């Protein structure tokens, strides 16, 4: 007996195979991320919800099931909050698409879309110690071509901008009669407390005399 495709199988196949690459022109890696999300969702439906994948319909997948799936990712598969949020973003993308394709199911789709992204802890940014900064500044040799190159390009565009900023501070300190290391050491000691424009301006090289 040939089993008829369900509304979920048809919608998901069209979304992954036609809508994303054809109408949204997303990358292969993005499509793979969506595909992997739904592979995991199908696995959860089969193993934990005891739903037959062959008979899985759109009406079976509601807010409660998706919340259970997200909890399963974190607890059973030890996924991070960031990974959980990435999977949820893929699911949200599919149900935003379904709002237009199947407005009859608008309410349950919007209930799924209302599931919030979890907040993640922002990692603490540790600043370099003056000793570490001095060591870094001593590495490029400006008297040699490769040393000047290291200062100029610094591996990446962001690195180049950071190096340019640092080098500009050093040269400006020199132009104002300051010893660069002592000046940068002073700035690192006081920048955290510079909570007003006036305090920040007070740390500029020409205001240090």
């Amino acid at each position: 007996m040939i089993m008829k495709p369900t509304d979920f199988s048809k919608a998901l196949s069209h979304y992954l195979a036609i809508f994303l690459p054809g109408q949204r022109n997303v990358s292969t890696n993005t499509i793979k991320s969506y595909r992997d999300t739904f592979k995991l969702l199908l696995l959860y439906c089969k193993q934990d919800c005891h739903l037959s994948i062959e008979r899985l319909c759109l009406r079976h997948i509601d807010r409660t099931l998706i919340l259970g799936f997200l909890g399963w990712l974190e607890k059973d598969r030890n996924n991070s909050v960031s990974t959980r949020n990435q999977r949820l973003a893929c699911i949200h993308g599919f149900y935003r698409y379904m709002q237009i394709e199947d407005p009859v199911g608008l309410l349950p789709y919007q209930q799924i879309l209302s599931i919030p992204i979890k907040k993640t802890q922002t990692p603490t940014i540790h600043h370099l110690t003056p000793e570490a900064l001095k060591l870094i500044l001593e590495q490029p040799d400006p008297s040699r071509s490769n040393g000047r190159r290291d200062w100029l390009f610094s591996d990446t565009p962001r690195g180049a901008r950071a190096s340019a900023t640092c080098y500009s501070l050093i040269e400006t300190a020199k132009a104002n009669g300051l010893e660069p290391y002592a000046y940068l050491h002073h700035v690192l000691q006081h920048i955290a407390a510079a909570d007003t424009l006036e305090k920040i301006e007070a740390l500029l090289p020409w205001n240090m005399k």
Side-chain angles (χ1 to χ4, degrees):
M1 179 180 177
I2 299 176
M3 187 171 294
K4 292 178 61 177
T6 64
D7 55 358
F8 176 72
S9 67
K10 290 190 289 186
L12 184 60
S13 295
H14 186 274
Y15 181 69
L16 294 175
I18 298 175
F19 179 76
L20 287 180
Q23 297 185 38
R24 292 292 303 277
N25 195 31
V26 300
S27 69
T28 302
N29 286 337
T30 299
I31 295 174
K32 182 178 181 295
S33 178
Y34 277 84
R35 183 200 68 193
D36 291 346
T37 295
F38 282 96
K39 283 173 64 176
L40 289 169
L41 179 60
L42 291 173
L43 181 64
Y44 170 75
C45 288
K46 181 179 180 180
Q47 290 185 351
D48 284 56
C49 301
H50 308 292
L51 294 170
S52 169
I53 294 177
E54 292 81 4
R55 293 182 172 83
L56 191 63
C57 297
L58 288 166
R59 61 184 171 82
H60 294 137
I61 304 175
D62 56 13
R63 178 186 171 90
T64 301
L65 187 144
I66 296 299
L67 286 172
F69 168 65
L70 297 173
W72 175 76
L73 289 176
E74 291 188 75
K75 295 175 183 177
D76 290 39
R77 296 185 65 87
N78 296 317
N79 285 177
S80 66
V81 173
S82 296
T83 300
R84 177 257 191 206
N85 288 342
Q86 180 188 10
R87 300 304 185 195
L88 178 58
C90 292
I91 291 170
H92 278 174
F94 174 68
Y95 281 100
R96 279 192 291 269
Y97 158 81
M98 288 305 302
Q99 285 186 117
I100 304 300
E101 293 295 311
D102 181 32
V104 173
L106 195 59
L107 178 59
Y109 301 155
Q110 290 183 347
Q111 289 173 339
I112 291 174
L113 288 169
S114 70
I115 299 174
I117 297 294
K118 263 191 178 181
K119 290 184 178 180
T120 57
Q121 288 187 343
T122 303
T124 302
I125 300 175
H126 298 284
H127 297 284
L128 291 174
T129 64
E131 292 74 18
L133 180 60
K134 184 178 182 181
L135 182 62
I136 291 174
L137 295 177
E138 289 173 348
Q139 298 310 304
D141 183 357
S143 67
R144 302 177 61 182
S145 60
N146 61 348
R148 292 190 294 272
R149 178 205 61 199
D150 291 341
W151 271 115
L152 181 61
F153 297 107
S154 301
D155 191 51
T156 65
R158 291 183 66 182
R161 286 194 294 272
S163 292
T165 300
C166 190
Y167 198 57
S168 177
L169 282 172
I170 291 171
E171 292 303 311
T172 305
K174 289 180 181 178
N176 284 272
L178 302 174
E179 198 281 315
Y181 171 70
Y183 168 68
L184 291 174
H185 191 177
H186 176 81
V187 170
L188 288 174
Q189 284 183 318
H190 295 87
I191 190 67
D195 53 0
T196 66
L197 180 60
E198 290 75 16
K199 291 180 181 179
I200 293 174
E201 289 181 343
L203 294 174
L204 295 174
W206 49 85
N207 291 327
M208 296 293 294
K209 293 182 180 180

